[in-house]
């Protein structure tokens, strides 16, 4: 009796008392979600009989649809929104703000620090700011967006960080999110104070040390060497040489304590490997009974070189060795190749540096290899210790101000080290040092960590060799009572001081300073406060507001430059719940057709009242997107009736009962809820997004819509399989299910309906992504037809989606296979259907395709569901196979049967008219269309 745990299948809604990987009812894997059930025995309630209505007395009702002002959406819905209907919009309806492809993100799960484009292949986690707590958290992304080429701005900060993004990209400021185009030099923006995330892919210590020395005072070109004068480093290099199995030669300089250490092959080692290689080579030649001259001629190598190889003087290149073995059609396996590697000039040290992409890097192009970012905390600490020991310094000036620095001529390397320091909570400033060396301009990049407390913490947590005098003096200095650097400050404004006055009861600043043990100057109320001061205020006058300001994970950096950076390809990701992520160690926002629907209905033209409820974003974030969709609203903000904002209201709520009460009380003409996975019901004791919560909340919204005649649109996140997350009954409950989908590499979206109680389920809407939202595409055919001239394998066809026809291009690539089994691949066309058509071509047309790889692609990322393009697919394969082009201006469509006959397809006349409209002159169609009238030149196929 009481609460019982049950498991519900999201596919068939079956319930089970035990968890299993597979649903016992539908057989689906990984669909069981935990929920709870109230098993308390309830008393039976006797229900009174209700009065029935004779069916003949029921009045026929019409559904006066609400026009959204978006013709593509209205067409998909069957003419508009039906009052009292519940509509589910699945997919990713957002259009994100964009950053450039070289913007790097941290994956908290692995420690990887990679360009944002890496998130397209794998839906990794990102570091994200929880704006409610002010803490940095790991968050899984839900979508990756390729946003195309756009105008870019570069934002640079006081700490030396930079971000390249679009002008409408929001950054977090002390007064909320602001677009880059609205920011000014001197504005403060949020960056993380620490990113305490490390990897778990440990490396052998001698490899980590070799990388660190190679990035510092090391030469990693033809010779691998390190210059050092600190005894600990010299001892370390000897241990590294032993671990790699190489020798270390030492070269000193007159009147200089620094020595150069060269990693070289052990004496006689290379000669031994070469002689062994020569012996095996001679044995191979004797086995095949070839003379040296004949083998050299067949392999197209020099006789003199082959003679030298067989005598052990040198070894061939890998390509030359392959030619030798191929000439006699023998394969000696990997052993001879491994032997060649051992016998060649490369040491094991050089081979390892090559394997991680560090070999032959010039000083100005050095960067931290990917394997370092994946290391656990202790090993990253070791890596930083060596870097700072080689190229760093510890200093204390005459005012007893301490600092630690690291210098390099590689900007990327400096940025990498700045990021790694942030994982330990060290906020380092990256500054550019211009100087002249040997009368030539010289640019260096220096990282600085200032303050006695921070420098002492660095020496304790990271460590540094040498600098004994500075370290000794540092230990003698007491910790300061006030911060020795005022970089980490918290911006204040009138709201801050008014709130503080309410919290402390309006006491004087003198009394406030006495109680906190700090000094608050009344003449500096417009200046930021040091974090230590804010912490003292929060500890003395406890409040959620002060605590969040004092103990959050935000460092308020300052903008120093905003530059136009031309045009570049841009990308974005969708992060649920927090709607932001950390890029280039700065906190940026990410982002809806829903808001566009609301804006259109609430506009001056339609003047419909709309309630927009969001459980994911705040009112300020929604308003910012409203300003982007309606640029004129910023100038018209003093006249809300003019821009429609008076008809649009916002509700930030996640409790279903409060949302339904608001809808009933305000009676809007449309309610929008974004999204169902963030809403929870007080009647269900489980977390938001669970199967039970999603079902319970949807039932409440359905009842509210039906009883009050108010249409409600809800959104739902989709799974990796492309289905709405949550139980399958979610789709059964609602009246209409829409999916907004599209290829991540394209800039347009397809709006499809998979269920519609008030219209057809075959309609499709097409939208193009722009900087002001999703824009309707007036002529969909144009986006699916390449503007380039025709080429072998390219054929144009016509498909029907609902009541509309548009043109698509089918591309085929046919090439001889180099595998045992020919490859068959398809993008946008059913692979099983492709296999069937290939079999028909082999059997009925006699084409020899058994040894050919065949690849099919539907241009534009469109997915074809009908069989009308069978004939076009076959034509494209034949065109690619014969290397002949289809005549320009020709369209082809028709279904192909197993016996090779071409069958009729639906709405052929409408297809031909669409082709006429776009200037096509010829059509190859099924013979059953011989009675059609068309201006096109028709050719019939039986």
């Amino acid at each position: 009796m009481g609460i019982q745990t049950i498991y519900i299948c999201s596919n068939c809604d079956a319930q089970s008392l035990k968890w299993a990987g597979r649903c016992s009812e539908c057989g689906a894997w990984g669909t069981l979600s935990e929920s709870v059930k109230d098993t308390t025995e309830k008393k039976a309630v006797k229900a009174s009989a209700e009065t029935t209505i004779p069916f003949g007395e029921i009045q026929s009702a019409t559904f006066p649809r609400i026009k959204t002002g978006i013709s593509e959406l209205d067409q998909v819905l069957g003419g508009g929104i039906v009052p009292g209907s519940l509509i589910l919009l699945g997919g990713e309806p957002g259009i994100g703000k964009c950053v450039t492809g070289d913007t790097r993100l941290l994956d908290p799960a692995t420690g990887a620090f990679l360009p944002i484009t890496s998130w397209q292949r794998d839906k990794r986690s990102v570091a994200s700011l929880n704006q409610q707590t002010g803490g940095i958290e790991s968050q899984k992304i839900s979508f990756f967006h390729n946003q195309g080429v756009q105008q870019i701005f570069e934002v640079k900060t006081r700490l030396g960080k930079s971000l390249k993004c679009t002008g409408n990209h929001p950054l977090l400021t002390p007064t909320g999110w602001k677009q880059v185009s609205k920011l000014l030099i001197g504005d403060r923006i949020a960056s993380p104070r620490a990113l305490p995330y490390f990897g778990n892919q440990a490396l052998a210590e001698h490899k980590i040390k070799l990388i660190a020395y190679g990035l510092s005072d090391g030469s990693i070109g033809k010779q691998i060497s390190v210059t050092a004068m600190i005894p600990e480093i010299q001892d370390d290099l000897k241990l590294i040489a032993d671990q790699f199995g190489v020798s270390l030669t030492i070269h000193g300089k007159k009147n200089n304590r620094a020595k150069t250490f060269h990693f070289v092959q052990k004496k006689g080692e290379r000669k031994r490997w070469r002689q062994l290689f020569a012996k095996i080579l001679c044995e191979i030649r004797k086995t095949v009974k070839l003379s040296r001259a004949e083998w050299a001629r067949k392999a197209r190598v020099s006789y003199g070189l082959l003679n030298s190889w067989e005598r052990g003087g040198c070894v061939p290149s890998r390509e030359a060795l392959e030619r030798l073995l191929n000439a006699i059609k023998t394969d000696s396996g990997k052993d001879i190749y491994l032997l060649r590697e051992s016998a060649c000039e490369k040491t094991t040290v050089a081979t390892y540096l090559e394997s991680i992409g560090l070999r032959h890097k010039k000083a100005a192009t050095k960067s931290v290899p990917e394997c370092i970012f994946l290391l656990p905390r202790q090993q990253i600490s070791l890596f930083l210790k060596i870097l700072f020991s080689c190229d760093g310094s510890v200093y204390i000036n005459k005012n007893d101000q301490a600092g630690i620095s690291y210098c390099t001529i590689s900007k990327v390397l400096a940025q990498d080290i700045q990021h790694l320091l942030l994982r330990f909570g060290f906020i380092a400033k990256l500054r550019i040092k211009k100087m002249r060396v040997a009368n030539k301009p010289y640019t260096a990049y220096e990282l600085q960590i200032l303050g006695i407390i921070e420098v002492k913490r660095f020496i304790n947590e990271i460590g540094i060799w040498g600098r004994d005098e500075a370290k000794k003096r540092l230990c003698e200095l007491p910790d300061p009572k006030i911060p020795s650097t005022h970089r980490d400050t918290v911006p204040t404004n009138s709201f801050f001081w008014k709130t503080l006055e309410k919290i402390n009861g309006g006491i004087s600043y003198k009394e406030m300073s006495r109680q906190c043990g700090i000094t608050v100057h009344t003449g500096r109320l417009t200046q930021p406060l040091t974090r230590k001061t804010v912490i003292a205020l929060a500890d003395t006058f406890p409040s959620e507001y002060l605590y969040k300001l004092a103990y959050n994970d935000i460092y308020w950096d300052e903008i120093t430059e905003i530059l136009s950076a031309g045009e570049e390809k841009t990308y974005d990701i969708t992060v649920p719940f927090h709607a932001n992520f950390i890029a280039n160690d700065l906190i940026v926002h990410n982002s809806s057709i829903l808001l566009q629907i609301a804006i259109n209905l609430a506009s001056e033209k339609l003047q419909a009242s709309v309630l927009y409820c969001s459980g994911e974003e705040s009112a300020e974030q929604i308003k910012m997107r409203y300003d982007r969709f309606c640029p004129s609203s910023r100038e018209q903000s003093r006249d809300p009736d003019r821009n429609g904002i008076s008809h649009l209201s916002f509700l930030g709520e996640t409790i279903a009962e409060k949302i339904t009460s608001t809808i009933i009380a305000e009676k809007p003409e449309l309610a929008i809820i974004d999204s169902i996975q963030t809403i929870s019901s007080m009647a269900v004791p489980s977390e938001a997004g669970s199967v039970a919560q999603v079902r319970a909340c949807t039932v409440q919204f359905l009842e509210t819509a039906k009883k009050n005649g108010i249409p409600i649109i809800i959104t739902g996140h989709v799974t990796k399989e492309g289905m709405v997350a949550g139980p399958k009954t979610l789709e059964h409950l609602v009246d209409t299910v829409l999916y907004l989908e599209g290829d991540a590499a394209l800039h347009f979206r397809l709006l499809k309906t998979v269920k519609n109680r008030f219209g057809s389920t075959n309609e499709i809407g097409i939208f193009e992504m722009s900087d002001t939202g999703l824009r309707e595409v007036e002529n969909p055919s144009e986006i699916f037809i390449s503007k380039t001239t025709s080429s072998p394998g390219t054929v144009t066809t016509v498909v029907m989606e609902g009541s509309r026809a548009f043109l698509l291009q089918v591309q085929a690539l046919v090439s001889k296979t180099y595998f045992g089994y020919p490859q068959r691949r398809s993008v946008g066309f059913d692979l099983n259907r492709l296999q069937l058509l290939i079999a028909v071509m082999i059997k009925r047309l006699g084409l020899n395709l058994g040894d050919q790889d065949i690849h099919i692609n539907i241009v534009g990322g469109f997915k074809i569901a009908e069989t009308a393009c069978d004939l076009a697919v076959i034509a494209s394969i034949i065109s690619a196979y014969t290397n002949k082009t289809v005549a320009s201006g020709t369209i082809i469509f028709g279904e192909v049967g197993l016996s090779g006959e071409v069958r009729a397809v639906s709405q052929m006349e409408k297809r031909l008219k669409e082709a006429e409209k776009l200037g096509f002159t010829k059509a190859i169609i099924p013979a059953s269309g011989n009675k059609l009238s068309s201006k096109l030149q028709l050719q019939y196929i039986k």
Side-chain angles (χ1 to χ4, degrees), residues 257-467:
R257 287 188 299 163
K259 298 177 181 179
T260 301
F261 298 79
H262 290 280
F263 292 97
V264 297
Q265 198 70 271
K266 287 186 176 180
K267 188 176 182 181
E269 191 75 9
R270 186 179 295 114
K271 183 179 179 180
R272 185 174 67 84
W273 287 115
R274 287 179 179 177
Q275 289 175 347
L276 184 58
F277 178 85
K279 182 180 178 182
I280 293 177
L281 208 60
C282 290
E283 290 176 355
I284 291 173
R285 184 166 61 82
K286 290 177 181 179
T287 302
V288 296
K289 298 178 181 180
L290 277 179
S291 67
R292 189 177 295 154
E294 190 177 359
W295 195 12
R297 180 178 55 80
K298 283 189 174 185
R300 302 189 311 280
V301 299
S302 166
Y303 174 86
L305 279 175
L306 181 56
N307 182 39
S308 181
W309 298 337
E310 289 190 354
R311 290 178 179 275
C314 59
V315 292
S317 66
R318 189 178 183 87
E319 294 76 12
L321 180 57
E322 286 178 356
R323 290 204 303 274
L324 284 172
L325 298 179
N326 290 335
I328 56 177
K329 297 182 179 179
T330 185
D331 184 8
S332 299
K334 295 181 180 179
D335 291 343
I336 193 168
Y337 288 100
L338 293 174
L339 195 59
R340 191 206 72 84
E341 293 292 333
S342 301
C344 69
E345 295 292 334
K346 296 177 187 175
T347 62
T348 52
V349 169
T351 302
Y352 178 71
L353 292 176
E354 263 188 25
S355 69
I356 59 174
L358 201 57
R359 183 98 192 271
H360 300 299
K361 285 282 187 78
K362 300 295 183 183
T365 61
K366 289 180 179 179
S367 61
V368 175
E370 185 179 345
C371 59
I372 295 296
F373 295 107
L374 308 179
L375 296 176
R377 181 188 182 103
Q378 187 176 358
Q379 291 197 329
I380 291 182
S381 175
L382 172 64
F383 174 77
L384 291 174
K385 179 179 182 178
I386 294 174
L387 284 178
F388 275 82
S389 297
C390 292
D391 292 334
S393 65
V394 180
Y395 58 87
I396 301 171
N397 63 17
K398 59 183 179 181
N399 296 322
D400 288 341
Q401 292 180 335
I404 191 165
S405 68
Y406 171 83
C407 198
T408 176
I409 64 170
S410 170
K411 183 178 180 180
V412 177
L413 178 58
Q415 291 171 335
D416 290 345
I417 304 306
Q418 186 183 36
H419 168 78
L420 289 175
L421 289 170
L422 193 60
R423 297 194 185 187
F424 293 86
F426 292 107
I427 298 173
K429 179 181 179 180
L430 174 58
R431 67 186 189 122
I432 301 174
K433 296 174 68 175
K434 298 283 187 180
M435 59 188 79
R436 298 189 72 84
V437 176
N439 207 28
K440 293 182 179 180
Y442 183 86
T443 302
Y445 299 91
E446 183 185 40
L447 289 171
Q448 285 183 324
I449 301 174
L450 300 179
I452 293 175
I453 295 175
E454 286 297 278
V455 174
K456 284 184 177 180
R457 185 166 74 89
F458 180 92
I459 292 174
N460 290 331
E461 292 186 26
I462 307 296
I464 186 171
W465 284 323
R467 290 79 178 179

Side-chain angles (χ1 to χ4, degrees), residues 803-941:
S803 59
R804 70 200 304 181
F806 53 87
L807 277 62
L808 291 173
Q809 279 186 333
V810 181
Q811 290 182 328
L813 178 64
V814 180
S815 61
K816 192 171 182 63
T817 185
Y818 291 96
F819 304 95
Y821 186 79
Q823 303 292 306
R824 309 284 192 249
R825 296 184 180 178
S826 174
V827 177
F829 188 77
D830 183 64
L831 183 59
N832 292 328
R833 188 76 185 171
L834 175 61
Q835 300 276 21
L836 184 148
L837 295 177
I838 293 172
V840 171
M841 295 169 69
I842 295 173
K843 181 72 173 177
R844 305 302 178 191
L845 298 180
L847 294 177
N848 183 20
L849 300 175
D851 61 348
Q852 303 289 321
D853 289 339
I854 300 176
H855 307 271
I856 294 293
N857 175 53
I858 307 302
V859 174
F862 193 85
K863 296 178 181 178
I864 295 177
E866 63 172 355
T867 58
C869 35
D870 286 354
L871 192 59
V873 170
I874 287 177
S876 67
I877 293 173
I878 295 174
S879 172
Y881 181 64
T882 60
N883 201 31
K884 295 180 179 179
T885 60
V886 175
S888 60
T890 303
I891 62 162
I892 302 174
F893 60 83
E895 181 182 348
V896 177
L898 291 180
S899 61
E901 80 280 11
V902 179
R903 297 174 174 270
V905 297
S906 64
Q907 303 185 64
M908 285 196 283
E909 193 166 350
K910 183 173 277 191
R911 298 174 195 260
L912 294 174
K913 285 182 178 178
E914 180 67 17
E916 284 180 24
K917 220 164 45 172
L918 290 178
F920 283 78
T921 57
K922 184 179 179 180
I924 301 176
I925 64 174
S928 58
N930 56 4
K931 295 181 180 179
L932 296 174
S933 60
S934 175
K935 295 179 181 179
L936 299 178
Q937 179 187 348
L938 303 180
Q939 181 178 340
Y940 306 106
I941 303 291

Side-chain angles (χ1 to χ4, degrees), residues 598-610:
I599 292 170
N600 277 21
L601 286 169
S603 65
E604 183 182 4
K605 181 179 179 181
L606 299 178
Q607 294 189 357
S609 58
V610 181

